Amino acid sequence: MAASKEEITERAQLVRIHEANCRIEYPTAAELNFRLAVMKALAKGLGLRELRALEITGPVTAAPERPAPGRKPGER
């Protein structure tokens, strides 16, 4: 069955939201959980064969910390 114009538009919006979320360098736990929710919606909506056996888990309770000012990520 072919997807309707509304379904195609919704999927495209989810993809754009996911792309934008993935560009957040130091996401909060809430942002990471939102990213997971969007990933699950995309996987389900697109019916991607590669993701059927994959388990996307959550919720995230701890987010990565930002580096101290003047330091590069990974430096102590």
Short mmCIF file of all heavy atoms in Angstrom, two decimals:
data_model
loop_
_atom_site.label_atom_id
_atom_site.label_comp_id
_atom_site.label_asym_id
_atom_site.label_seq_id
_atom_site.Cartn_x
_atom_site.Cartn_y
_atom_site.Cartn_z
N MET A 1 0.83 -1.18 0.00
CA MET A 1 0.00 0.00 0.00
C MET A 1 0.88 1.25 0.00
O MET A 1 1.84 1.34 0.76
CB MET A 1 -0.90 -0.02 1.24
CG MET A 1 -1.79 1.17 1.34
SD MET A 1 -3.10 0.97 2.56
CE MET A 1 -2.27 1.49 4.02
N ALA A 2 0.58 2.18 -0.85
CA ALA A 2 1.37 3.41 -0.97
C ALA A 2 1.05 4.35 0.20
O ALA A 2 -0.09 4.41 0.67
CB ALA A 2 1.06 4.09 -2.29
N ALA A 3 2.05 5.07 0.63
CA ALA A 3 1.87 6.02 1.72
C ALA A 3 1.18 7.27 1.18
O ALA A 3 1.42 7.70 0.06
CB ALA A 3 3.22 6.39 2.31
N SER A 4 0.34 7.87 2.02
CA SER A 4 -0.35 9.10 1.62
C SER A 4 0.62 10.27 1.71
O SER A 4 1.70 10.17 2.32
CB SER A 4 -1.55 9.35 2.53
OG SER A 4 -1.11 9.72 3.83
N LYS A 5 0.21 11.38 1.13
CA LYS A 5 1.04 12.58 1.16
C LYS A 5 1.29 13.01 2.61
O LYS A 5 2.39 13.43 2.96
CB LYS A 5 0.37 13.70 0.38
CG LYS A 5 1.17 14.97 0.32
CD LYS A 5 0.48 16.04 -0.50
CE LYS A 5 1.31 17.30 -0.50
NZ LYS A 5 0.65 18.38 -1.24
N GLU A 6 0.27 12.89 3.46
CA GLU A 6 0.41 13.26 4.87
C GLU A 6 1.41 12.37 5.58
O GLU A 6 2.22 12.84 6.39
CB GLU A 6 -0.94 13.19 5.57
CG GLU A 6 -1.90 14.28 5.14
CD GLU A 6 -3.29 14.12 5.75
OE1 GLU A 6 -3.54 13.07 6.39
OE2 GLU A 6 -4.10 15.03 5.58
N GLU A 7 1.39 11.06 5.31
CA GLU A 7 2.34 10.13 5.93
C GLU A 7 3.77 10.43 5.48
O GLU A 7 4.70 10.41 6.29
CB GLU A 7 1.98 8.69 5.59
CG GLU A 7 0.70 8.22 6.25
CD GLU A 7 0.23 6.87 5.72
OE1 GLU A 7 0.43 6.56 4.53
OE2 GLU A 7 -0.34 6.11 6.53
N ILE A 8 3.94 10.71 4.20
CA ILE A 8 5.27 11.04 3.68
C ILE A 8 5.78 12.32 4.31
O ILE A 8 6.95 12.42 4.71
CB ILE A 8 5.23 11.14 2.14
CG1 ILE A 8 4.95 9.76 1.54
CG2 ILE A 8 6.53 11.71 1.59
CD1 ILE A 8 4.63 9.78 0.06
N THR A 9 4.91 13.32 4.45
CA THR A 9 5.30 14.58 5.07
C THR A 9 5.69 14.38 6.53
O THR A 9 6.69 14.92 7.01
CB THR A 9 4.15 15.61 4.97
OG1 THR A 9 3.84 15.81 3.59
CG2 THR A 9 4.52 16.94 5.61
N GLU A 10 4.91 13.56 7.26
CA GLU A 10 5.21 13.29 8.66
C GLU A 10 6.56 12.60 8.81
O GLU A 10 7.36 12.96 9.67
CB GLU A 10 4.12 12.41 9.26
CG GLU A 10 4.32 12.11 10.73
CD GLU A 10 3.21 11.24 11.30
OE1 GLU A 10 2.06 11.39 10.87
OE2 GLU A 10 3.52 10.42 12.17
N ARG A 11 6.83 11.64 7.96
CA ARG A 11 8.13 10.94 8.00
C ARG A 11 9.27 11.91 7.71
O ARG A 11 10.31 11.88 8.38
CB ARG A 11 8.16 9.80 7.01
CG ARG A 11 7.32 8.63 7.41
CD ARG A 11 7.39 7.54 6.38
NE ARG A 11 6.38 6.52 6.63
CZ ARG A 11 6.04 5.61 5.77
NH1 ARG A 11 6.62 5.55 4.58
NH2 ARG A 11 5.13 4.71 6.07
N ALA A 12 9.09 12.77 6.72
CA ALA A 12 10.14 13.74 6.38
C ALA A 12 10.40 14.68 7.54
O ALA A 12 11.56 15.01 7.83
CB ALA A 12 9.75 14.52 5.13
N GLN A 13 9.35 15.10 8.23
CA GLN A 13 9.52 15.97 9.40
C GLN A 13 10.27 15.24 10.51
O GLN A 13 11.15 15.82 11.15
CB GLN A 13 8.16 16.45 9.91
CG GLN A 13 7.51 17.45 8.98
CD GLN A 13 6.09 17.79 9.38
OE1 GLN A 13 5.43 17.03 10.10
NE2 GLN A 13 5.60 18.93 8.92
N LEU A 14 9.96 13.98 10.74
CA LEU A 14 10.67 13.20 11.76
C LEU A 14 12.15 13.07 11.42
O LEU A 14 13.01 13.17 12.30
CB LEU A 14 10.05 11.81 11.91
CG LEU A 14 8.81 11.70 12.76
CD1 LEU A 14 8.24 10.29 12.70
CD2 LEU A 14 9.09 12.09 14.20
N VAL A 15 12.44 12.86 10.15
CA VAL A 15 13.84 12.75 9.73
C VAL A 15 14.57 14.06 9.99
O VAL A 15 15.69 14.07 10.51
CB VAL A 15 13.95 12.33 8.25
CG1 VAL A 15 15.37 12.47 7.74
CG2 VAL A 15 13.47 10.89 8.07
N ARG A 16 13.95 15.19 9.65
CA ARG A 16 14.59 16.49 9.87
C ARG A 16 14.78 16.76 11.37
O ARG A 16 15.81 17.28 11.79
CB ARG A 16 13.76 17.60 9.23
CG ARG A 16 13.91 17.65 7.72
CD ARG A 16 13.35 18.91 7.12
NE ARG A 16 11.90 18.97 7.14
CZ ARG A 16 11.10 18.41 6.25
NH1 ARG A 16 11.61 17.73 5.25
NH2 ARG A 16 9.80 18.53 6.34
N ILE A 17 13.79 16.39 12.19
CA ILE A 17 13.92 16.55 13.64
C ILE A 17 15.08 15.70 14.15
O ILE A 17 15.90 16.16 14.95
CB ILE A 17 12.60 16.17 14.35
CG1 ILE A 17 11.53 17.21 14.07
CG2 ILE A 17 12.82 16.00 15.86
CD1 ILE A 17 10.14 16.77 14.50
N HIS A 18 15.16 14.46 13.69
CA HIS A 18 16.24 13.57 14.14
C HIS A 18 17.61 14.11 13.72
O HIS A 18 18.54 14.10 14.53
CB HIS A 18 16.02 12.16 13.59
CG HIS A 18 17.05 11.18 14.04
ND1 HIS A 18 17.23 10.88 15.37
CD2 HIS A 18 17.95 10.45 13.36
CE1 HIS A 18 18.22 10.00 15.48
NE2 HIS A 18 18.67 9.73 14.28
N GLU A 19 17.72 14.58 12.50
CA GLU A 19 18.99 15.14 12.04
C GLU A 19 19.39 16.33 12.90
O GLU A 19 20.56 16.47 13.29
CB GLU A 19 18.89 15.56 10.58
CG GLU A 19 18.83 14.39 9.63
CD GLU A 19 18.55 14.82 8.19
OE1 GLU A 19 18.07 15.96 7.96
OE2 GLU A 19 18.79 14.01 7.29
N ALA A 20 18.44 17.20 13.22
CA ALA A 20 18.75 18.37 14.04
C ALA A 20 19.17 17.95 15.45
O ALA A 20 20.13 18.48 16.00
CB ALA A 20 17.53 19.29 14.11
N ASN A 21 18.47 16.98 16.03
CA ASN A 21 18.82 16.50 17.36
C ASN A 21 20.20 15.88 17.42
O ASN A 21 20.89 15.98 18.42
CB ASN A 21 17.79 15.47 17.85
CG ASN A 21 16.52 16.12 18.35
OD1 ASN A 21 16.55 17.21 18.86
ND2 ASN A 21 15.42 15.44 18.17
N CYS A 22 20.61 15.22 16.37
CA CYS A 22 21.91 14.56 16.35
C CYS A 22 23.05 15.56 16.27
O CYS A 22 24.19 15.22 16.53
CB CYS A 22 21.99 13.56 15.20
SG CYS A 22 20.99 12.10 15.51
N ARG A 23 22.76 16.79 15.94
CA ARG A 23 23.81 17.82 15.87
C ARG A 23 24.03 18.52 17.21
O ARG A 23 24.91 19.36 17.32
CB ARG A 23 23.46 18.83 14.78
CG ARG A 23 23.59 18.23 13.40
CD ARG A 23 23.50 19.27 12.31
NE ARG A 23 23.65 18.64 11.01
CZ ARG A 23 22.66 18.35 10.20
NH1 ARG A 23 21.41 18.64 10.53
NH2 ARG A 23 22.89 17.79 9.03
N ILE A 24 23.23 18.19 18.22
CA ILE A 24 23.41 18.77 19.55
C ILE A 24 24.62 18.08 20.18
O ILE A 24 24.61 16.87 20.39
CB ILE A 24 22.15 18.57 20.43
CG1 ILE A 24 20.96 19.29 19.80
CG2 ILE A 24 22.41 19.07 21.85
CD1 ILE A 24 19.64 19.00 20.49
N GLU A 25 25.68 18.86 20.46
CA GLU A 25 26.93 18.26 20.95
C GLU A 25 26.82 17.67 22.35
O GLU A 25 27.35 16.61 22.61
CB GLU A 25 28.05 19.30 20.92
CG GLU A 25 28.55 19.59 19.53
CD GLU A 25 29.80 20.43 19.56
OE1 GLU A 25 30.73 20.09 20.32
OE2 GLU A 25 29.84 21.43 18.83
N TYR A 26 26.19 18.36 23.25
CA TYR A 26 26.11 17.90 24.63
C TYR A 26 24.64 17.91 25.05
O TYR A 26 24.20 18.77 25.81
CB TYR A 26 26.95 18.78 25.56
CG TYR A 26 28.39 18.77 25.15
CD1 TYR A 26 28.93 19.82 24.42
CD2 TYR A 26 29.21 17.69 25.43
CE1 TYR A 26 30.25 19.80 24.00
CE2 TYR A 26 30.53 17.65 25.03
CZ TYR A 26 31.04 18.72 24.32
OH TYR A 26 32.35 18.68 23.90
N PRO A 27 23.86 16.93 24.57
CA PRO A 27 22.43 16.92 24.87
C PRO A 27 22.15 16.60 26.34
O PRO A 27 22.91 15.88 26.99
CB PRO A 27 21.90 15.81 23.97
CG PRO A 27 23.07 14.91 23.75
CD PRO A 27 24.28 15.80 23.76
N THR A 28 21.05 17.15 26.82
CA THR A 28 20.61 16.82 28.18
C THR A 28 19.95 15.44 28.14
O THR A 28 19.70 14.89 27.06
CB THR A 28 19.57 17.85 28.67
OG1 THR A 28 18.41 17.74 27.83
CG2 THR A 28 20.11 19.26 28.65
N ALA A 29 19.65 14.91 29.31
CA ALA A 29 18.98 13.60 29.36
C ALA A 29 17.62 13.68 28.65
O ALA A 29 17.24 12.75 27.93
CB ALA A 29 18.80 13.16 30.81
N ALA A 30 16.90 14.78 28.82
CA ALA A 30 15.59 14.94 28.15
C ALA A 30 15.77 14.96 26.63
O ALA A 30 14.97 14.35 25.91
CB ALA A 30 14.90 16.21 28.63
N GLU A 31 16.79 15.65 26.15
CA GLU A 31 17.04 15.69 24.71
C GLU A 31 17.43 14.31 24.17
O GLU A 31 17.00 13.92 23.09
CB GLU A 31 18.13 16.72 24.39
CG GLU A 31 17.67 18.15 24.59
CD GLU A 31 18.80 19.16 24.61
OE1 GLU A 31 19.95 18.81 24.97
OE2 GLU A 31 18.53 20.31 24.26
N LEU A 32 18.21 13.56 24.93
CA LEU A 32 18.58 12.22 24.51
C LEU A 32 17.36 11.30 24.47
O LEU A 32 17.23 10.49 23.55
CB LEU A 32 19.64 11.63 25.46
CG LEU A 32 21.04 12.24 25.32
CD1 LEU A 32 21.94 11.77 26.46
CD2 LEU A 32 21.65 11.90 23.98
N ASN A 33 16.47 11.43 25.43
CA ASN A 33 15.25 10.62 25.43
C ASN A 33 14.33 11.00 24.28
O ASN A 33 13.71 10.13 23.66
CB ASN A 33 14.53 10.73 26.78
CG ASN A 33 15.23 9.95 27.85
OD1 ASN A 33 15.69 8.84 27.62
ND2 ASN A 33 15.34 10.53 29.03
N PHE A 34 14.27 12.29 23.95
CA PHE A 34 13.48 12.72 22.80
C PHE A 34 14.08 12.14 21.52
O PHE A 34 13.36 11.66 20.65
CB PHE A 34 13.43 14.25 22.73
CG PHE A 34 12.61 14.76 21.59
CD1 PHE A 34 11.23 14.71 21.65
CD2 PHE A 34 13.21 15.29 20.46
CE1 PHE A 34 10.46 15.17 20.59
CE2 PHE A 34 12.45 15.76 19.41
CZ PHE A 34 11.06 15.70 19.47
N ARG A 35 15.40 12.15 21.43
CA ARG A 35 16.09 11.57 20.27
C ARG A 35 15.74 10.08 20.13
O ARG A 35 15.47 9.61 19.03
CB ARG A 35 17.60 11.75 20.44
CG ARG A 35 18.41 11.34 19.24
CD ARG A 35 19.90 11.47 19.48
NE ARG A 35 20.29 12.85 19.71
CZ ARG A 35 21.53 13.24 19.96
NH1 ARG A 35 22.51 12.36 20.05
NH2 ARG A 35 21.81 14.51 20.15
N LEU A 36 15.73 9.36 21.24
CA LEU A 36 15.37 7.94 21.20
C LEU A 36 13.93 7.74 20.73
O LEU A 36 13.64 6.83 19.95
CB LEU A 36 15.55 7.30 22.58
CG LEU A 36 16.98 7.04 23.02
CD1 LEU A 36 17.03 6.59 24.47
CD2 LEU A 36 17.64 6.01 22.13
N ALA A 37 13.03 8.59 21.23
CA ALA A 37 11.62 8.47 20.83
C ALA A 37 11.46 8.71 19.33
O ALA A 37 10.71 7.99 18.65
CB ALA A 37 10.78 9.47 21.62
N VAL A 38 12.18 9.69 18.79
CA VAL A 38 12.11 9.98 17.36
C VAL A 38 12.70 8.81 16.57
O VAL A 38 12.16 8.40 15.54
CB VAL A 38 12.82 11.31 17.01
CG1 VAL A 38 12.92 11.52 15.52
CG2 VAL A 38 12.07 12.48 17.64
N MET A 39 13.80 8.24 17.06
CA MET A 39 14.41 7.09 16.39
C MET A 39 13.44 5.92 16.32
O MET A 39 13.31 5.26 15.29
CB MET A 39 15.70 6.67 17.12
CG MET A 39 16.84 7.62 16.93
SD MET A 39 18.26 7.28 18.02
CE MET A 39 18.62 5.59 17.65
N LYS A 40 12.73 5.67 17.43
CA LYS A 40 11.77 4.57 17.47
C LYS A 40 10.62 4.82 16.50
O LYS A 40 10.18 3.91 15.79
CB LYS A 40 11.22 4.39 18.89
CG LYS A 40 12.23 3.80 19.85
CD LYS A 40 11.66 3.71 21.24
CE LYS A 40 12.68 3.16 22.22
NZ LYS A 40 12.13 3.03 23.58
N ALA A 41 10.13 6.06 16.45
CA ALA A 41 9.03 6.40 15.54
C ALA A 41 9.47 6.23 14.09
O ALA A 41 8.71 5.72 13.25
CB ALA A 41 8.55 7.82 15.80
N LEU A 42 10.69 6.65 13.77
CA LEU A 42 11.20 6.49 12.41
C LEU A 42 11.34 5.02 12.04
O LEU A 42 10.94 4.60 10.96
CB LEU A 42 12.56 7.18 12.26
CG LEU A 42 12.53 8.68 12.07
CD1 LEU A 42 13.93 9.26 12.17
CD2 LEU A 42 11.90 9.04 10.74
N ALA A 43 11.92 4.24 12.93
CA ALA A 43 12.13 2.82 12.66
C ALA A 43 10.80 2.11 12.43
O ALA A 43 10.66 1.32 11.50
CB ALA A 43 12.89 2.16 13.81
N LYS A 44 9.82 2.42 13.27
CA LYS A 44 8.51 1.80 13.13
C LYS A 44 7.80 2.27 11.86
O LYS A 44 7.27 1.47 11.09
CB LYS A 44 7.66 2.12 14.35
CG LYS A 44 6.29 1.49 14.32
CD LYS A 44 5.51 1.86 15.56
CE LYS A 44 4.11 1.26 15.50
NZ LYS A 44 3.29 1.69 16.62
N GLY A 45 7.81 3.57 11.64
CA GLY A 45 7.11 4.14 10.49
C GLY A 45 7.69 3.73 9.15
O GLY A 45 6.96 3.53 8.18
N LEU A 46 9.00 3.60 9.10
CA LEU A 46 9.65 3.24 7.84
C LEU A 46 9.75 1.73 7.65
O LEU A 46 10.03 1.26 6.56
CB LEU A 46 11.05 3.87 7.76
CG LEU A 46 11.06 5.40 7.73
CD1 LEU A 46 12.49 5.92 7.77
CD2 LEU A 46 10.35 5.93 6.50
N GLY A 47 9.55 0.97 8.74
CA GLY A 47 9.62 -0.48 8.64
C GLY A 47 10.96 -0.97 8.12
O GLY A 47 11.02 -1.89 7.31
N LEU A 48 12.03 -0.34 8.58
CA LEU A 48 13.37 -0.68 8.10
C LEU A 48 13.77 -2.09 8.55
O LEU A 48 13.78 -2.39 9.74
CB LEU A 48 14.39 0.34 8.60
CG LEU A 48 14.15 1.78 8.16
CD1 LEU A 48 15.16 2.71 8.79
CD2 LEU A 48 14.21 1.88 6.64
N ARG A 49 14.09 -2.92 7.60
CA ARG A 49 14.46 -4.31 7.87
C ARG A 49 15.66 -4.38 8.81
O ARG A 49 15.73 -5.21 9.70
CB ARG A 49 14.76 -5.02 6.55
CG ARG A 49 15.18 -6.46 6.72
CD ARG A 49 15.48 -7.11 5.41
NE ARG A 49 16.44 -6.26 4.70
CZ ARG A 49 16.70 -6.34 3.41
NH1 ARG A 49 16.09 -7.23 2.68
NH2 ARG A 49 17.57 -5.55 2.84
N GLU A 50 16.63 -3.48 8.61
CA GLU A 50 17.86 -3.49 9.41
C GLU A 50 17.58 -3.20 10.89
O GLU A 50 18.38 -3.57 11.75
CB GLU A 50 18.86 -2.46 8.87
CG GLU A 50 19.34 -2.74 7.47
CD GLU A 50 18.40 -2.21 6.39
OE1 GLU A 50 17.36 -1.63 6.72
OE2 GLU A 50 18.71 -2.38 5.21
N LEU A 51 16.48 -2.52 11.18
CA LEU A 51 16.20 -2.13 12.55
C LEU A 51 15.17 -3.02 13.25
O LEU A 51 14.90 -2.84 14.42
CB LEU A 51 15.70 -0.67 12.58
CG LEU A 51 16.71 0.36 12.08
CD1 LEU A 51 16.09 1.74 12.08
CD2 LEU A 51 17.96 0.35 12.92
N ARG A 52 14.59 -3.97 12.55
CA ARG A 52 13.56 -4.82 13.16
C ARG A 52 14.09 -5.61 14.35
O ARG A 52 13.40 -5.77 15.34
CB ARG A 52 12.97 -5.76 12.12
CG ARG A 52 12.08 -5.03 11.15
CD ARG A 52 11.41 -5.97 10.19
NE ARG A 52 10.80 -5.20 9.12
CZ ARG A 52 10.71 -5.59 7.88
NH1 ARG A 52 11.17 -6.76 7.50
NH2 ARG A 52 10.14 -4.82 6.98
N ALA A 53 15.31 -6.10 14.26
CA ALA A 53 15.88 -6.91 15.34
C ALA A 53 16.61 -6.05 16.37
O ALA A 53 16.99 -6.53 17.43
CB ALA A 53 16.84 -7.95 14.77
N LEU A 54 16.78 -4.77 16.09
CA LEU A 54 17.51 -3.87 16.98
C LEU A 54 16.60 -3.36 18.08
O LEU A 54 15.45 -3.00 17.84
CB LEU A 54 18.04 -2.68 16.17
CG LEU A 54 18.86 -1.64 16.92
CD1 LEU A 54 20.16 -2.27 17.44
CD2 LEU A 54 19.17 -0.48 16.02
N GLU A 55 17.11 -3.34 19.29
CA GLU A 55 16.35 -2.81 20.41
C GLU A 55 16.89 -1.43 20.75
O GLU A 55 18.07 -1.27 21.07
CB GLU A 55 16.46 -3.72 21.63
CG GLU A 55 15.64 -3.26 22.79
CD GLU A 55 15.73 -4.19 23.99
OE1 GLU A 55 16.26 -5.29 23.85
OE2 GLU A 55 15.28 -3.78 25.07
N ILE A 56 16.03 -0.42 20.65
CA ILE A 56 16.41 0.94 21.01
C ILE A 56 15.86 1.16 22.41
O ILE A 56 14.66 1.22 22.60
CB ILE A 56 15.83 1.96 20.01
CG1 ILE A 56 16.30 1.66 18.59
CG2 ILE A 56 16.22 3.38 20.41
CD1 ILE A 56 15.62 2.50 17.51
N THR A 57 16.75 1.26 23.39
CA THR A 57 16.32 1.32 24.78
C THR A 57 16.38 2.74 25.33
O THR A 57 16.99 3.62 24.76
CB THR A 57 17.18 0.40 25.65
OG1 THR A 57 18.52 0.83 25.57
CG2 THR A 57 17.08 -1.04 25.22
N GLY A 58 15.80 2.92 26.45
CA GLY A 58 15.79 4.20 27.15
C GLY A 58 15.00 3.99 28.41
O GLY A 58 14.57 2.88 28.69
N PRO A 59 14.77 4.89 29.25
CA PRO A 59 15.18 6.28 29.12
C PRO A 59 16.62 6.50 29.58
O PRO A 59 17.18 5.71 30.32
CB PRO A 59 14.22 7.02 30.04
CG PRO A 59 13.89 6.03 31.10
CD PRO A 59 13.90 4.68 30.40
N VAL A 60 17.16 7.59 29.12
CA VAL A 60 18.50 8.00 29.52
C VAL A 60 18.35 8.75 30.84
O VAL A 60 17.47 9.58 31.00
CB VAL A 60 19.12 8.93 28.45
CG1 VAL A 60 20.43 9.51 28.92
CG2 VAL A 60 19.28 8.19 27.14
N THR A 61 19.22 8.45 31.79
CA THR A 61 19.14 9.13 33.09
C THR A 61 20.32 10.06 33.32
O THR A 61 20.24 10.96 34.13
CB THR A 61 19.07 8.12 34.24
OG1 THR A 61 20.19 7.24 34.16
CG2 THR A 61 17.79 7.31 34.18
N ALA A 62 21.43 9.84 32.63
CA ALA A 62 22.61 10.70 32.79
C ALA A 62 23.07 11.15 31.41
O ALA A 62 23.18 10.34 30.49
CB ALA A 62 23.73 9.95 33.49
N ALA A 63 23.33 12.42 31.29
CA ALA A 63 23.80 12.97 30.02
C ALA A 63 25.30 13.20 30.08
O ALA A 63 25.86 13.38 31.16
CB ALA A 63 23.08 14.29 29.73
N PRO A 64 25.97 13.20 28.92
CA PRO A 64 27.40 13.49 28.93
C PRO A 64 27.66 14.92 29.42
O PRO A 64 26.86 15.81 29.16
CB PRO A 64 27.82 13.32 27.47
CG PRO A 64 26.57 13.39 26.69
CD PRO A 64 25.46 12.97 27.60
N GLU A 65 28.74 15.10 30.14
CA GLU A 65 29.06 16.43 30.67
C GLU A 65 29.82 17.25 29.65
O GLU A 65 30.60 16.73 28.86
CB GLU A 65 29.90 16.29 31.94
CG GLU A 65 29.14 15.68 33.09
CD GLU A 65 29.95 15.67 34.37
OE1 GLU A 65 30.83 16.54 34.53
OE2 GLU A 65 29.70 14.80 35.20
N ARG A 66 29.57 18.54 29.71
CA ARG A 66 30.31 19.46 28.84
C ARG A 66 31.73 19.61 29.38
O ARG A 66 31.94 19.59 30.59
CB ARG A 66 29.65 20.83 28.83
CG ARG A 66 28.27 20.82 28.22
CD ARG A 66 27.65 22.22 28.33
NE ARG A 66 26.29 22.19 27.88
CZ ARG A 66 25.92 22.44 26.63
NH1 ARG A 66 26.82 22.75 25.72
NH2 ARG A 66 24.65 22.41 26.29
N PRO A 67 32.71 19.77 28.49
CA PRO A 67 34.07 19.99 28.98
C PRO A 67 34.17 21.36 29.65
O PRO A 67 33.39 22.26 29.37
CB PRO A 67 34.93 19.93 27.71
CG PRO A 67 33.98 20.21 26.60
CD PRO A 67 32.63 19.73 27.05
N ALA A 68 35.14 21.49 30.55
CA ALA A 68 35.35 22.78 31.23
C ALA A 68 35.73 23.83 30.17
O ALA A 68 36.35 23.50 29.17
CB ALA A 68 36.45 22.63 32.26
N PRO A 69 35.38 25.08 30.41
CA PRO A 69 35.73 26.14 29.45
C PRO A 69 37.24 26.16 29.19
O PRO A 69 38.04 26.04 30.11
CB PRO A 69 35.28 27.42 30.15
CG PRO A 69 34.25 26.98 31.11
CD PRO A 69 34.64 25.59 31.54
N GLY A 70 37.61 26.30 27.95
CA GLY A 70 39.02 26.34 27.57
C GLY A 70 39.66 25.00 27.34
O GLY A 70 40.82 24.90 26.97
N ARG A 71 38.92 23.92 27.57
CA ARG A 71 39.46 22.57 27.36
C ARG A 71 38.74 21.90 26.20
O ARG A 71 37.58 22.17 25.94
CB ARG A 71 39.28 21.71 28.61
CG ARG A 71 40.11 22.21 29.75
CD ARG A 71 40.15 21.18 30.83
NE ARG A 71 41.03 21.67 31.89
CZ ARG A 71 41.27 21.01 32.98
NH1 ARG A 71 40.71 19.83 33.17
NH2 ARG A 71 42.06 21.49 33.89
N LYS A 72 39.46 21.02 25.55
CA LYS A 72 38.88 20.26 24.45
C LYS A 72 38.22 19.01 25.00
O LYS A 72 38.63 18.50 26.04
CB LYS A 72 39.98 19.87 23.45
CG LYS A 72 40.63 21.05 22.78
CD LYS A 72 41.72 20.59 21.85
CE LYS A 72 42.43 21.79 21.25
NZ LYS A 72 43.58 21.39 20.45
N PRO A 73 37.18 18.50 24.32
CA PRO A 73 36.56 17.25 24.78
C PRO A 73 37.60 16.14 24.91
O PRO A 73 38.48 15.99 24.08
CB PRO A 73 35.56 16.93 23.68
CG PRO A 73 35.27 18.24 23.03
CD PRO A 73 36.56 19.03 23.13
N GLY A 74 37.54 15.41 26.01
CA GLY A 74 38.48 14.31 26.24
C GLY A 74 39.66 14.69 27.09
O GLY A 74 40.36 13.84 27.62
N GLU A 75 39.95 16.01 27.22
CA GLU A 75 41.06 16.45 28.07
C GLU A 75 40.61 16.47 29.53
O GLU A 75 39.46 16.68 29.84
CB GLU A 75 41.51 17.86 27.69
CG GLU A 75 42.29 17.95 26.41
CD GLU A 75 42.79 19.36 26.17
OE1 GLU A 75 42.34 20.31 26.85
OE2 GLU A 75 43.63 19.51 25.29
N ARG A 76 41.55 16.28 30.42
CA ARG A 76 41.23 16.30 31.86
C ARG A 76 41.78 17.53 32.50
O ARG A 76 42.69 18.11 32.25
CB ARG A 76 41.78 15.06 32.54
CG ARG A 76 41.03 13.85 32.08
CD ARG A 76 41.53 12.64 32.86
NE ARG A 76 40.80 11.49 32.38
CZ ARG A 76 40.19 10.65 33.16
NH1 ARG A 76 40.25 10.78 34.45
NH2 ARG A 76 39.53 9.65 32.67
#
